[in-house]
Amino acid sequence: ELVVYNLEDGGVGVWYNCPDGCPELVSQLEGVVEPYEEGVVLAPYPGMSSRVALTAWNRIDQFAEFDEERIVRFVRAFRGADHHAVR
């Protein structure tokens, strides 16, 4: 429920699926996520259909290999988006 709350408040999730371990991928992802003091969560997601996934409210991007540019572009596009706007 904390992840959903984070996404609802404009956060981004960065997920990885490595059944056999992937310290290099985790290190690369940590390097991209670390500069963001808040609003970006990095966590494993066992059983996910892709190796890496990015989530934001009503958005998902899935891919097989580390792509720093793609991750940064996604975070910049969706981090901080206000989902509480009055309609």
Side-chain angles (χ1 to χ4, degrees):
E1 65 189 52
L2 293 175
V3 171
V4 172
Y5 182 75
N6 179 59
L7 296 177
E8 181 184 29
D9 281 352
V12 171
V14 179
W15 312 98
Y16 58 91
N17 178 25
C18 303
D20 299 321
C22 55
E24 182 179 342
L25 174 62
V26 172
S27 178
Q28 290 171 314
L29 293 172
E30 287 173 341
V32 174
V33 169
E34 187 176 347
Y36 300 99
E37 293 182 15
E38 57 184 51
V40 181
V41 175
L42 173 64
Y45 196 124
M48 182 171 63
S49 63
S50 63
R51 187 168 170 138
V52 179
L54 309 173
T55 57
W57 197 254
N58 290 326
R59 303 277 192 267
I60 188 166
D61 185 14
Q62 298 176 307
F63 42 103
E65 299 300 326
F66 177 75
D67 186 335
E68 182 173 358
E69 190 174 311
R70 189 171 179 173
I71 296 166
V72 169
R73 190 171 51 242
F74 189 95
V75 171
R76 286 183 179 163
F78 299 110
R79 183 173 162 260
D82 181 8
H83 303 291
H84 296 102
V86 177
R87 296 181 192 248

